[in-house]
Amino acid sequence: MRICEARTVIITGAGAGLGRAYALAFAAEGANVVVNDIRLDAAEAVAAEVRAAGGHALANSGDICSIEGAQAIVDAALAAFGEVHVLVNNAGILRDRMFLSLTEDDWDAVMRVHLRGHFCLANVLGRRWRDAAKAGQKVDARIINTSSGAGLQGSIGQSNYVAAKGGIAALTLVQAAELGRYGITVNCLAPAARTAMTEAGMPDMVKKPESGFDVWDPMNVAAIVVWLGSPLSARVSGRCFEAKGGEISVAEGWRTGKIRDKRARWEPAELSQVVEELISEGIPPQKVYGS
């Protein structure tokens, strides 16, 4: 049996790249797919691919960055398929520059699409699912957010993107803690694949090979996303998965390290040795990409 039979999923930024791969993979596992993309023609093309393969899809170009737009997307999904069970927050943009060269517009545009875009649909659907749970209905819902290796470890020349993606990883923790009581799980993904963004930033690295396993194919990442959207993942929440090619891992985030307790107030001059010892005893952080 297909693992997402009769479930409905909204996927943002689904007109190409990873979003397109997710749409095709969810449909192959029986899901109804709402293909959301700011470019309606791209959304329609992916929806047509899904239908040509025997699946069910709705193309949608609604605004993910406003509550009004998010509600309209959800309403369209409900009209077409009756219910929504899964949200995949995938849409994103880049405005890459070294930190001191960033403009306010570079910063605000990235925050709007990534952070506000992750907020609006999750808020609208979360309230719907909460109300259903309080009314005694069984809810088995999923929110799948998109962070990035850049958001987890940092990346030179991408401080706005890094800040947004790091915020999404932290947001996932709080959403999972707050929404679990209503039958909603929340996880995030840090994917590595060939997309318009990675082709622009590192074209030689992500280039499709002439033969052999295509490590950067977006379809490689789709399996974990579909699993997270299925009933099989009901016991997993508040986690960040990294996926690339045939690799999959669960990120280990910030946690309290070794402690020195003087049981009194520290003098500033005392702290040099203490900090040096704490750093030497801890696990070294991964290097920032590009450093």
Side-chain angles (χ1 to χ4, degrees), residues 6-85:
R7 286 171 77 77
T8 296
V9 54
I10 295 173
I11 306 170
T12 68
L18 285 164
R20 171 184 171 273
Y22 301 161
L24 295 173
F26 266 107
E29 290 294 338
N32 305 311
V33 181
V34 178
V35 181
N36 171 267
D37 199 284
I38 193 172
R39 304 158 302 165
L40 183 57
D41 58 341
E44 288 175 337
V46 173
E49 283 190 81
V50 169
R51 290 191 288 267
H56 302 283
L58 171 70
N60 179 280
S61 60
D63 180 13
I64 66 169
C65 296
S66 72
I67 291 294
E68 182 181 14
Q71 186 65 63
I73 295 167
V74 172
D75 289 345
L78 296 175
F81 302 120
E83 189 51 86
V84 177
H85 308 89

Side-chain angles (χ1 to χ4, degrees), residues 52-135:
H56 302 283
L58 171 70
N60 179 280
S61 60
D63 180 13
I64 66 169
C65 296
S66 72
I67 291 294
E68 182 181 14
Q71 186 65 63
I73 295 167
V74 172
D75 289 345
L78 296 175
F81 302 120
E83 189 51 86
V84 177
H85 308 89
V86 183
L87 168 63
V88 180
N89 281 315
N90 169 71
I93 62 169
L94 292 177
R95 294 290 186 272
D96 288 356
R97 284 179 171 79
M98 299 299 280
F99 177 72
L100 295 182
S101 298
L102 283 174
T103 67
E104 288 179 279
D105 287 344
D106 294 331
W107 185 269
D108 291 345
V110 169
M111 294 301 158
R112 177 177 173 79
V113 173
H114 289 277
L115 287 175
R116 192 177 177 93
H118 268 63
F119 165 74
C120 292
L121 272 166
N123 184 265
V124 169
L125 282 168
R127 285 187 280 112
R128 176 180 177 81
W129 291 329
R130 177 200 61 191
D131 293 347
K134 286 186 173 183

Side-chain angles (χ1 to χ4, degrees), residues 15-261:
L18 285 164
R20 171 184 171 273
Y22 301 161
L24 295 173
F26 266 107
E29 290 294 338
N32 305 311
V33 181
V34 178
V35 181
N36 171 267
D37 199 284
I38 193 172
R39 304 158 302 165
L40 183 57
D41 58 341
E44 288 175 337
V46 173
E49 283 190 81
V50 169
R51 290 191 288 267
H56 302 283
L58 171 70
N60 179 280
S61 60
D63 180 13
I64 66 169
C65 296
S66 72
I67 291 294
E68 182 181 14
Q71 186 65 63
I73 295 167
V74 172
D75 289 345
L78 296 175
F81 302 120
E83 189 51 86
V84 177
H85 308 89
V86 183
L87 168 63
V88 180
N89 281 315
N90 169 71
I93 62 169
L94 292 177
R95 294 290 186 272
D96 288 356
R97 284 179 171 79
M98 299 299 280
F99 177 72
L100 295 182
S101 298
L102 283 174
T103 67
E104 288 179 279
D105 287 344
D106 294 331
W107 185 269
D108 291 345
V110 169
M111 294 301 158
R112 177 177 173 79
V113 173
H114 289 277
L115 287 175
R116 192 177 177 93
H118 268 63
F119 165 74
C120 292
L121 272 166
N123 184 265
V124 169
L125 282 168
R127 285 187 280 112
R128 176 180 177 81
W129 291 329
R130 177 200 61 191
D131 293 347
K134 286 186 173 183
Q137 299 175 34
K138 177 176 173 52
V139 174
D140 189 26
R142 307 282 182 269
I143 297 173
I144 303 166
N145 294 327
T146 303
S147 184
S148 166
L152 302 179
Q153 282 95 40
S155 179
I156 297 293
Q158 293 190 302
S159 56
N160 50 357
Y161 179 75
V162 165
K165 289 303 191 182
I168 288 167
L171 171 65
T172 298
L173 300 178
V174 178
Q175 287 177 320
E178 291 184 357
L179 303 180
R181 72 193 74 179
Y182 305 122
I184 307 166
T185 71
V186 189
N187 293 284
C188 74
L189 182 75
R194 185 171 49 254
T195 67
M197 290 195 293
T198 56
E199 284 184 311
M202 46 185 185
D204 293 336
M205 182 181 294
V206 303
K207 185 178 179 181
K208 185 176 181 178
E210 294 183 6
S211 61
F213 180 46
D214 183 1
V215 172
W216 296 94
D217 187 339
M219 288 301 295
N220 298 330
V221 177
I224 184 62
V225 180
V226 174
W227 183 84
L228 285 170
S230 77
L232 300 177
S233 65
R235 296 176 62 186
V236 178
S237 195
R239 299 288 186 162
C240 183
F241 293 83
E242 295 187 77
K244 169 194 164 187
E247 301 174 4
I248 186 166
S249 62
V250 180
E252 297 181 356
W254 293 105
R255 61 182 65 243
T256 303
K258 298 289 182 66
I259 296 173
R260 292 286 193 281
D261 185 359

